[in-house]
């Protein structure tokens, strides 16, 4: 029987969140292990019988898994952490070591976290061009006013990245509560947007990503779903 063979960089792009061009750095950082040895080239051959690991997680061609979790406060959006409980620690699944996180939440942010072993899917939904709405419920330290709606719609300049945030939709729920819909996920984006008004975010909860909603999941609960 002929074994299927592919190049390492292609394999990585198909089985993780990283792209073909990211693979060069991953190889240099010795983060990819092929059959027990650090990968030496982005072009090296990978066959179906080889075992490939990235950051200690197996990337074999198993069935795709999609999990949504309602992340509690005080949990790290990482697959490994020496000090704190991670989102992966909350999941009991035979293939959990293959999973990666799609769109991290801060330590104290609660709500929807997606995990999968399907790199093509996670890349697709993370692309800004896909324009998938990520909806957050925000509790603030100062009253939120109508002015925020206009400013968030126009975009806020983030000097560090030298970008202006994409138009965001804000709905005022009550004096100290709002619902914000973003189509991108910059570092601490929600807190920085309210930071523009020196308005501290006291609580942040991600309700949904596209049509995937955390509704019905208790804090710390998760469920598998399918994408078709
Ligand atoms: N924006 C933030 O500031 N924190 C999150 O956890 C998610 C979005």
């Amino acid at each position: 029987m002929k074994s299927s063979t592919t190049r390492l960089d292609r394999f990585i792009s198909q089985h993780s969140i990283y792209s073909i061009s990211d693979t060069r750095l991953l190889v240099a950082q010795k983060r990819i292990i092929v059959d027990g040895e650090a990968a030496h080239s982005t072009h090296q051959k990978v066959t179906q019988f080889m075992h490939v690991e990235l950051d200690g997680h197996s990337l074999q061609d198993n069935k795709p898994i999609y999990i949504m979790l309602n992340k509690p406060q005080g949990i790290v959006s990482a697959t490994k952490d020496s000090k704190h409980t991670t989102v992966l620690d909350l999941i009991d699944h035979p293939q959990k070591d293959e999973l990666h996180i799609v769109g991290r939440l801060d330590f104290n942010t609660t709500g929807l976290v997606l995990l999968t072993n399907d790199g093509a899917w996670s890349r697709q939904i993370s692309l800004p061009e896909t324009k998938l709405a990520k909806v957050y419920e925000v509790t603030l330290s100062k009253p939120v006013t109508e002015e925020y709606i206009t400013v968030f719609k126009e975009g806020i300049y983030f000097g560090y990245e030298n970008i202006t945030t994409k138009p965001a939709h804000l709905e005022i729920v009550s004096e100290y509560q709002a619902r914000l819909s973003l189509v991108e996920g910059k570092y601490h984006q929600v807190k920085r947007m309210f930071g523009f008004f020196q308005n501290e975010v006291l609580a942040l909860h991600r309700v949904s990503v596209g049509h995937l909603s955390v509704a019905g999941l208790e804090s710390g609960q998760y469920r598998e779903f399918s994408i078709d």
Side-chain angles (χ1 to χ4, degrees):
M1 189 178 76
K2 189 172 171 294
S3 75
S4 70
T5 303
T6 185
R7 254 169 46 174
L8 180 64
D9 52 4
R10 186 165 300 281
F11 182 91
I12 292 293
S13 77
Q14 285 165 348
H15 293 83
S16 77
I17 52 167
Y18 296 103
S19 65
I20 288 184
S21 57
D22 292 333
T23 308
R24 183 192 289 269
L25 186 62
L26 298 173
V27 169
Q29 293 173 329
K30 303 208 180 315
R31 290 166 63 186
I32 307 173
I33 306 291
V34 180
D35 282 346
E37 306 233 327
H40 53 83
S41 158
T42 53
H43 283 41
Q44 76 189 71
K45 297 285 172 233
V46 175
T47 73
Q48 69 196 101
F49 303 114
M50 289 178 161
H51 184 244
V52 183
E53 282 180 22
L54 170 62
D55 292 339
H57 299 298
S58 171
L59 297 183
Q60 289 328 99
D61 227 351
N62 287 327
K63 85 172 177 51
I65 305 161
Y66 307 95
I67 288 178
M68 56 168 82
L69 164 76
N70 186 352
K71 176 185 148 347
Q73 264 196 347
I75 301 287
V76 184
S77 282
T79 50
K80 254 191 213 154
D81 190 278
S82 54
K83 285 204 198 88
H84 300 106
T85 306
T86 69
V87 290
L88 210 62
D89 292 331
L90 303 179
I91 299 208
D92 179 20
H93 191 285
Q95 285 162 263
K96 77 179 218 174
D97 285 347
E98 296 168 23
L99 300 175
H100 58 263
I101 301 161
V102 193
R104 288 156 199 268
L105 292 180
D106 295 340
F107 190 65
N108 282 324
T109 302
T110 58
L112 182 62
V113 170
L114 301 172
L115 297 112
T116 184
N117 59 353
D118 181 348
W121 179 74
S122 56
R123 228 178 0 266
Q124 175 66 26
I125 65 167
S126 307
L127 283 173
E129 301 85 70
T130 309
K131 292 201 168 65
L132 214 57
K134 295 151 193 85
V135 179
Y136 295 87
E137 284 169 356
V138 195
T139 307
L140 296 148
S141 59
K142 294 184 199 159
V144 52
T145 64
E146 298 282 326
E147 187 195 353
Y148 289 47
I149 298 177
T150 319
V151 172
F152 287 179
K153 194 173 173 191
E154 281 168 1
I156 291 178
Y157 178 69
F158 282 178
Y160 183 73
E161 296 95 336
N162 189 25
I163 56 115
T164 298
T165 54
K166 298 218 157 39
H169 179 74
L170 185 77
E171 191 191 324
I172 299 176
V173 175
S174 65
E175 201 177 2
Y176 292 93
Q177 283 187 314
R179 186 176 260 255
L180 180 64
S181 177
L182 303 178
V183 291
E184 57 192 341
K186 302 291 173 207
Y187 181 65
H188 291 331
Q189 180 158 350
V190 177
K191 291 173 189 155
R192 289 162 79 194
M193 287 174 72
F194 285 96
F196 177 83
F197 293 99
Q198 279 94 47
N199 198 344
E200 191 189 348
V201 171
L202 299 180
L204 186 57
H205 180 74
R206 182 155 67 195
V207 185
S208 57
V209 174
H211 69 283
L212 300 168
S213 159
V214 81
L217 287 177
E218 298 289 325
S219 174
Q221 268 190 341
Y222 64 91
R223 69 174 176 85
E224 263 192 84
F225 63 96
S226 66
I227 59 167
D228 38 45

